[in-house]
Amino acid sequence: MRCSDTAWPRELEVYRRNTRADARRYPITQGGFAGVDACAFWPGGPAGEPVKAGPRGPRNILMLNNTRDRISDLGGALATRRAFGRRAAFVTVQGWNHGILGNGNGNGCADALIAGWIGRGALPGKDVSCPAGPEVR
């Protein structure tokens, strides 16, 4: 799904340039997050216009974020959630990983909410906090 979210550069020089710039700017990661992505070779383009983070539109957005995600900062995720207003439900998972479903987390609380949203389009009535999965106990 991620590869169909937006148009990805297909020219390798774009990734080389971005990696060099990020290596200077973020010496700890040495530009590791700016390198070429498999999405650069994904057939086709974006599936549609990106969703604008705003309060207008249907209530059909389920957002999840781990509290100690090293890549997706919880503060940024909560700011995005606020921008969506009533359209979204937010699940805070007490965890370390950068991902919640299928990452070995084994979080039954989050898994049930995800399954309900995917299977029935069911969103929780309010934002939810899920306890830690086995990886942090």
Side-chain angles (χ1 to χ4, degrees):
M1 287 190 274
R2 172 176 81 85
C3 292
S4 298
D5 287 345
T6 188
W8 289 76
R10 296 192 184 271
E11 302 79 25
L12 292 179
E13 187 52 38
V14 170
Y15 295 96
R16 286 187 194 103
R17 186 175 56 247
N18 290 345
T19 300
R20 285 191 300 269
D22 277 10
R24 286 189 300 275
R25 208 166 167 198
Y26 310 107
I28 291 176
T29 62
Q30 286 296 299
F33 295 110
V36 68
D37 190 281
C39 293
F41 308 102
W42 197 258
E49 288 296 313
V51 174
K52 301 274 189 250
R56 298 175 71 111
R59 186 172 192 275
N60 62 358
I61 301 167
L62 179 65
M63 299 176 64
L64 300 99
N65 212 96
N66 281 309
T67 54
R68 292 171 298 283
D69 186 326
R70 296 172 304 279
I71 298 171
S72 295
D73 173 66
L74 182 60
L78 289 170
T80 302
R81 191 266 172 266
R82 284 189 298 274
F84 278 116
R86 67 158 196 82
R87 296 181 62 196
F90 192 87
V91 180
T92 303
V93 178
Q94 305 297 318
W96 295 88
N97 294 323
H98 174 65
I100 293 169
L101 182 65
N103 68 359
N105 199 7
N107 192 301
C109 169
D111 291 350
L113 292 165
I114 294 167
W117 183 74
I118 291 172
R120 300 182 314 281
L123 289 176
K126 61 180 183 169
D127 291 352
V128 176
S129 179
C130 289
E135 88 285 2
V136 294
R137 288 192 180 143

